[in-house]
Amino acid sequence: MDYYDLKVLARRVRAENGLTSTRILQTDLRRIYFKYGIEIDYWPYRFKYVRGAFMCDDLGTTVMLAQNLPHDPMVFTMAHELKHFLVDRALKVSYCDQSNITNRIEIGAEVFAAEFLFPDPYFVDYMEQMRIKRRECAAQTIVELKQATRTSLSYKGLAIKAERLGYALPGSLSSYTGWRKLERLSRQQSWNRR
């Protein structure tokens, strides 16, 4: 399945499960997992790089999730593992960590998860509402977008989407590392305007 097809699948799964917002919660994904019969195993162990794993055998399907993940990375990982259930069950086992991030199957899971959490058409609509033209999206725009939509997609995920859709120059946002600082400044400015 190519990346475009994975995006179409992500939007279809959203629609089939009544998800119309950019704010996807763990409870939304647990409900979908339950519908598909996917068991969740929260691992209390600290893994340096592993966020989740997918296992499918004769006894059923289990997704292992690193218990200590914050909300947004947990939701992204759950969406990532959902792609493995929907598309990659024949693999039997898949895990996502730093050693296999360039693997086509894992990239596909990242594409699916990003589209599942914040579909491209929604992104384009928000850019139009914010009056952001192509090649004009700045880091501050991404912070304002995340705050306004309360999306579970990370700043980096939104930045990659902005670049890929042509709202930011390639590499201009995806390598940026000051998101939290910019977020704090944005909140302070918002608070001061009150």
Side-chain angles (χ1 to χ4, degrees):
M1 189 172 263
D2 69 18
Y3 299 149
Y4 175 80
D5 291 336
L6 289 171
K7 289 182 178 191
V8 171
L9 176 62
R11 291 182 208 147
R12 190 181 83 223
V13 173
R14 283 177 59 90
E16 288 171 354
N17 290 282
L19 300 176
T20 59
S21 167
T22 57
R23 180 74 177 151
I24 306 298
L25 304 173
Q26 289 181 45
T27 53
D28 297 318
L29 280 151
R30 282 197 300 267
R31 180 175 45 84
I32 293 169
Y33 274 35
F34 180 78
K35 174 182 166 182
Y36 289 128
I38 303 169
E39 295 290 328
I40 298 174
D41 187 4
Y42 292 100
W43 280 55
Y45 312 110
R46 282 192 92 73
F47 295 108
K48 190 168 184 177
Y49 299 111
V50 177
R51 298 178 305 181
F54 169 82
M55 294 153 275
C56 184
D57 60 22
D58 296 338
L59 299 175
T61 303
T62 302
V63 167
M64 180 209 69
L65 298 166
Q67 180 176 302
N68 60 339
L69 287 175
H71 179 270
D72 289 356
M74 178 68 80
V75 170
F76 188 89
T77 301
M78 290 175 80
H80 173 113
E81 300 304 337
L82 180 60
K83 179 269 186 183
H84 290 313
F85 171 79
L86 296 169
V87 179
D88 307 319
R89 276 184 268 187
L91 293 177
K92 302 292 184 195
V93 174
S94 178
Y95 61 93
C96 56
D97 76 2
Q98 296 300 310
S99 71
N100 63 1
I101 59 173
T102 58
N103 177 301
R104 185 165 173 74
I105 291 170
E106 292 303 314
I107 293 170
E110 299 286 295
V111 168
F112 175 91
E115 192 68 13
F116 185 82
L117 298 181
F118 205 118
D120 288 352
Y122 287 35
F123 190 91
V124 171
D125 287 347
Y126 276 105
M127 290 294 103
E128 288 175 4
Q129 289 173 27
M130 296 171 79
R131 294 189 170 86
I132 304 298
K133 294 181 176 73
R134 303 282 177 168
R135 303 167 82 74
E136 290 184 356
C137 185
Q140 181 63 38
T141 308
I142 296 297
V143 169
E144 290 170 8
L145 178 65
K146 185 161 174 64
Q147 289 175 341
T149 62
R150 299 180 59 230
T151 183
S152 298
L153 188 57
S154 68
Y155 286 117
K156 185 167 185 163
L158 290 168
I160 290 168
K161 197 172 277 279
E163 290 174 6
R164 197 180 36 70
L165 294 173
Y167 284 94
L169 296 172
S172 64
L173 297 176
S174 57
S175 59
Y176 183 72
T177 58
W179 298 112
R180 295 297 173 198
K181 182 178 179 182
L182 195 54
E183 178 184 61
R184 283 191 300 277
L185 286 170
S186 180
R187 287 179 196 241
Q188 284 176 343
Q189 290 170 351
S190 176
W191 181 257
N192 289 341
R193 280 183 245 146
R194 291 182 186 176

